[in-house]
C-alpha cells in the first residue's frame, strides 16, 4: 500500500465504498488522516462499518465539520450530467474534491528515492479503445526485459494498493476518462493516448468534454514523453499542442495505417509491419503478422503505443520484439479461445460499441459473427462497410431483431441466446472460418458485465473442444 502524504491529522471524507474507495480510505489512514466515509448503499455502508470505517452522513451539513478534502470514486458523477449531491455540497462548502489517482501522484515519490540508483517512473495510458491491452503489453514487455514493474489503475490493482517504489521500477497505469477528469495531480513520466472515439458522452457532456478529460493527462503534468495516436483529429491536435516544433522528440506520434516519417520521433504500423522513425530515418522494424497475441490493425496500433512507451524508458527494439511474441493477449479482447477442426473461436466480448466491433471485424476473414445484446444509441448501421468478411451473423439478446434490420443482405440467424449462437455457428463453420464474438452492444440484458458474457462464450467453446 502507498500511504497518502500530506494528510496527517486532517479529517478526510471518502465517498463511495467500492474497491477504490475502501483502498483510498486505508491509504489515507496509513498517512495519518482521520477518515470518515459515506456510500449511498445501506448494505455497503454496513459492511464498511463492520470493517472499522467511521460512517458519517455527508448528505447533512453537520457531517462536514472539519473536513479538509473529499475523495470520490471514479464511477460517481462530479459534474455531468449533474454532480452527486455529496460532491455538490463539497463544492458549495469550498472543500477540495479529488480521487485515488490524484492521491497516488502526490504520494508515490518519497524521500527514500534519494538512495535509489535509478528513479522509479510512471507510464500512464488512456484512450477510447485498446488502453487495457496497451497497458498489459507494456507491463509484459518490461517484465520480460527484467525491469521491476507493477500494473494498476483501471486494470488490475487499485493505484493505492500498489507496493511502494523500488529502485528503477516502472509503474504502468491504465486511466479512464473518469479518473483523469477529476484527479488534482497528474504527473506521469510517460503519457500515452491510444485513440479517441465517442464514449461516455453523457458523463462528459459531449465529445469535447470527453477529449478534454483525456487531454488533462498531458496538459496538467507535462510528461517527459508523450506518446500520442494521431489517426484522429483530436490526437493530431494534442500532438501539435505538446510539441515545441517539428524537431521536438518529446512527442512520439503513433499510427496504424499512416506512414509517419517526417516527425522527430514516430512509430507506425502498415501492412503488418511496425516501423520506428527518428529524425527522418528508420531506426527499427518488426513483423507483427507472426505475433499471435496481437491480431489485426487495432492491436497493431496497441503494439505501436506499447513499443513507443517502452522505448521512452530505455528499452531496446530487440527486447520489445522478443516480448511481443510471448504476449498472450487479454481475456475478452481478441482472445483466441480454441481452434477446433480448423475453425478459430475468438472472444472479443469487450467490443461493446461500434468502433471496437469494427476493429474486430477487420482483424479476421471468413467470419461467423456473434453479435447483439443491449444495443447502444445509433445501432450498428455504421458497421456496414466492415461486413464484407462476414459469412453469417448469429444475433443474440435484446437487440437481435433490430440488428438484423441494420446489416443489409448479410446472412443471419436470430439465435437469441449465446448457447444457440455458438452451437449453430460451430455446426455451420468450415475450416478456415473464425467464429467471432464481437457484440457491438452492452451485456446487461443477459449478463452482469462483458466479462461474464465472454466467460460464457469461452465455456461453451471449451465444451465443444472436449467433444
Amino acid at each position: 500500500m502507498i500511504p497518502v502524504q500530506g494528510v496527517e491529522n486532517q479529517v478526510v471524507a471518502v465517498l463511495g465504498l467500492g474497491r477504490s474507495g475502501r483502498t483510498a480510505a486505508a491509504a489515507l489512514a496509513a498517512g495519518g488522516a482521520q477518515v470518515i466515509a459515506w456510500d449511498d448503499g445501506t448494505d455497503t455502508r454496513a459492511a464498511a462499518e463492520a470493517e472499522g470505517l467511521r460512517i458519517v452522513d455527508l448528505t447533512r451539513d453537520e457531517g462536514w465539520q472539519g473536513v479538509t478534502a473529499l475523495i470520490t470514486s471514479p464511477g460517481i458523477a462530479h459534474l455531468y450530467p449533474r454532480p452527486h449531491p455529496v460532491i455538490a455540497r463539497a463544492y458549495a462548502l469550498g472543500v477540495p474534491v479529488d480521487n485515488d489517482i490524484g492521491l497516488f501522484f502526490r504520494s508515490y515519490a518519497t524521500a527514500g528515492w534519494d538512495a535509489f540508483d535509478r528513479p522509479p517512473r510512471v507510464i500512464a495510458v488512456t484512450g477510447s479503445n485498446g488502453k487495457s491491452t496497451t497497458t498489459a503489453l507494456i507491463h509484459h514487455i518490461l517484465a520480460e526485459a527484467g525491469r521491476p514493474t507493477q500494473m494498476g489503475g483501471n486494470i488490475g490493482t487499485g493505484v493505492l494498493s500498489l507496493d511502494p517504489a523500488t529502485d528503477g521500477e516502472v509503474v504502468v497505469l491504465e486511466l479512464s476518462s473518469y479518473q483523469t477528469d477529476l484527479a488534482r495531480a497528474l504527473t506521469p513520466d510517460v503519457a500515452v493516448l491510444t485513440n479517441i472515439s465517442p464514449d461516455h458522452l453523457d458523463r462528459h457532456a459531449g465529445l469535447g468534454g470527453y477529449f478534454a478529460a483525456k487531454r488533462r493527462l498531458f496538459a496538467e503534468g507535462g510528461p517527459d514523453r508523450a506518446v500520442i495516436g494521431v489517426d484522429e483529429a483530436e490526437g493530431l491536435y494534442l500532438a501539435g499542442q505538446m510539441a515545441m516544433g517539428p524537431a521536438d522528440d518529446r512527442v512520439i506520434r503513433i499510427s496504424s495505417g499512416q506512414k509517419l516519417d517526417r516527425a522527430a520521433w514516430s512509430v507506425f504500423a502498415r501492412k503488418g509491419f511496425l516501423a520506428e522513425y527518428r529524425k527522418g530515418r528508420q531506426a527499427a522494424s518488426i513483423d507483427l503478422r507472426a505475433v499471435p497475441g496481437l491480431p489485426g490493425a487495432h492491436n497493431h496500433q496497441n503494439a505501436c503505443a506499447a513499443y513507443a512507451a517502452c522505448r521512452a524508458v530505455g528499452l531496446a527494439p530487440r527486447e520489445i520484439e522478443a516480448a511481443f511474441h510471448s504476449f498472450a493477449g487479454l481475456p475478452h479482447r481478441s482472445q483466441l479461445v480454441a481452434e477446433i477442426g480448423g475453425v478459430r473461436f475468438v472472444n472479443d466480448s469487450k467490443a461493446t460499441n461500434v468502433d471496437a466491433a469494427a476493429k474486430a471485424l477487420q482483424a479476421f476473414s471468413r467470419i461467423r459473427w456473434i453479435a447483439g445484446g443491449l444495443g447502444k444509441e445509433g445501432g450498428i448501421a455504421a458497421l456496414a462497410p466492415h461486413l464484407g468478411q462476414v459469412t453469417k451473423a448469429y444475433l443474440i439478446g435484446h437487440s437481435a431483431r433490430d440488428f438484423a434490420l441494420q446489416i443489409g443482405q448479410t446472412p443471419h440467424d436470430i439465435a437469441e441466446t449465446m448457447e444457440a449462437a455458438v452451437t449453430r455457428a460451430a455446426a455451420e463453420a468450415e475450416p478456415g472460418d473464425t467464429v467471432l464474438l464481437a457484440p457491438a452492444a452492452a451485456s446487461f440484458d443477459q449478463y452482469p458485465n462483458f466479462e461474464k458474457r465472454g466467460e460464457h462464450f469461452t465455456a461453451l467453446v471449451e465444451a465443444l473442444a472436449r467433444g
Side-chain angles (χ1 to χ4, degrees):
M1 176 174 290
I2 297 172
V4 177
Q5 297 184 41
V7 294
E8 190 172 358
N9 298 321
Q10 295 183 22
V11 178
V12 181
V14 174
L15 174 64
L17 295 173
R19 183 187 71 171
S20 66
R22 293 191 192 192
T23 301
L28 285 161
Q34 300 173 37
V35 180
I36 63 174
W38 181 254
D39 190 284
D40 291 337
T42 303
D43 292 344
T44 304
R45 293 198 301 269
E49 192 167 31
E51 293 177 3
L53 271 175
R54 180 185 168 200
I55 302 299
V56 173
D57 189 350
L58 295 174
T59 66
R60 300 177 179 274
D61 282 342
E62 53 266 31
W64 291 87
Q65 186 67 36
V67 172
T68 60
L70 174 69
I71 308 304
T72 182
S73 296
I76 300 173
H78 62 271
L79 185 56
Y80 301 113
R82 64 190 61 84
H84 185 281
V86 170
I87 296 177
R89 192 174 294 264
Y91 293 156
L93 295 172
V95 175
V97 180
D98 204 349
N99 61 17
D100 61 336
I101 303 301
L103 297 181
F104 168 84
F105 276 111
R106 85 184 209 197
S107 303
Y108 184 55
T110 66
W113 288 24
D114 292 341
F116 292 161
D117 291 330
R118 294 185 299 171
R121 306 184 78 179
V122 177
I123 299 173
V125 181
T126 194
S128 298
N129 295 303
K131 58 185 180 291
S132 294
T133 297
T134 299
T135 302
L137 181 56
I138 294 169
H139 176 66
H140 173 78
I141 295 167
L142 291 164
E144 290 292 294
R147 294 285 291 271
T149 181
Q150 297 185 76
M151 179 174 68
N154 207 42
I155 184 175
T157 305
V159 290
L160 294 172
S161 293
L162 294 170
D163 293 329
T166 59
D167 196 334
E169 183 174 61
V170 182
V171 169
V172 191
L173 302 179
E174 178 193 343
L175 300 182
S176 72
S177 60
Y178 292 1
Q179 294 170 310
T180 59
D181 197 18
L182 186 63
R184 293 172 66 91
L186 284 169
T187 54
D189 298 281
V190 180
V192 180
L193 176 72
T194 57
N195 50 58
I196 288 287
S197 63
D199 207 359
H200 307 304
L201 300 189
D202 59 333
R203 181 67 181 266
H204 298 291
L207 183 58
Y210 174 61
F211 172 57
K214 300 287 190 184
R215 180 182 175 275
R216 289 191 76 245
L217 182 62
F218 299 81
E220 294 295 317
D224 294 336
R225 299 280 185 189
V227 177
I228 301 174
V230 295
D231 289 333
E232 297 86 30
E234 292 85 357
L236 277 171
Y237 166 80
L238 181 59
Q241 280 208 317
M242 295 299 296
M244 295 299 294
D248 188 353
D249 66 358
R250 293 175 302 170
V251 176
I252 309 176
R253 292 165 171 82
I254 64 166
S255 172
S256 176
Q258 298 184 66
K259 184 176 182 179
L260 304 175
D261 56 357
R262 297 184 179 181
W265 196 350
S266 62
V267 180
F268 60 89
R270 294 183 72 204
K271 300 180 180 179
F273 286 85
L274 179 151
E276 176 188 1
Y277 271 72
R278 300 194 72 169
K279 298 180 179 178
R281 295 185 177 182
Q282 185 168 322
S285 177
I286 297 173
D287 185 353
L288 298 174
R289 297 171 300 177
V291 179
L294 296 168
H298 62 303
N299 274 311
H300 293 176
Q301 182 184 57
N302 299 335
C304 289
Y307 178 97
C310 290
R311 291 286 284 137
V313 294
L315 267 61
R318 64 182 181 277
E319 294 178 291
I320 301 171
E321 181 175 10
F324 277 169
H325 286 276
S326 59
F327 181 65
L330 290 181
H332 318 301
R333 298 162 176 87
S334 295
Q335 175 195 10
L336 178 62
V337 176
E339 185 170 329
I340 306 171
V343 177
R344 292 182 296 177
F345 291 79
V346 175
N347 167 22
D348 204 335
S349 183
K350 183 62 170 65
T352 59
N353 58 41
V354 165
D355 187 64
K359 289 178 169 61
L361 291 170
Q362 293 173 72
F364 304 98
S365 59
R366 294 176 53 185
I367 298 168
R368 295 188 178 272
W369 178 35
I370 300 176
L374 191 61
K376 297 188 175 181
E377 185 177 352
I380 60 168
L383 288 176
H386 309 294
L387 300 180
Q389 298 291 344
V390 175
T391 302
K392 189 173 183 179
Y394 304 82
L395 304 175
I396 64 174
H398 178 270
S399 297
R401 286 169 175 79
D402 290 338
F403 280 17
L405 296 174
Q406 298 174 50
I407 60 174
Q409 301 302 310
T410 302
H412 65 271
D413 274 351
I414 304 294
E416 301 281 3
T417 66
M418 186 70 75
E419 292 91 338
V422 171
T423 299
R424 294 180 196 176
E428 296 175 3
E430 300 176 355
D433 286 356
T434 296
V435 177
L436 170 66
L437 172 64
S443 60
F444 306 124
D445 57 331
Q446 295 178 316
Y447 302 93
N449 50 51
F450 74 84
E451 291 95 342
K452 292 298 183 184
R453 177 171 60 191
E455 288 167 7
H456 189 200
F457 173 82
T458 298
L460 292 167
V461 172
E462 290 175 344
L464 286 173
R466 291 192 297 269

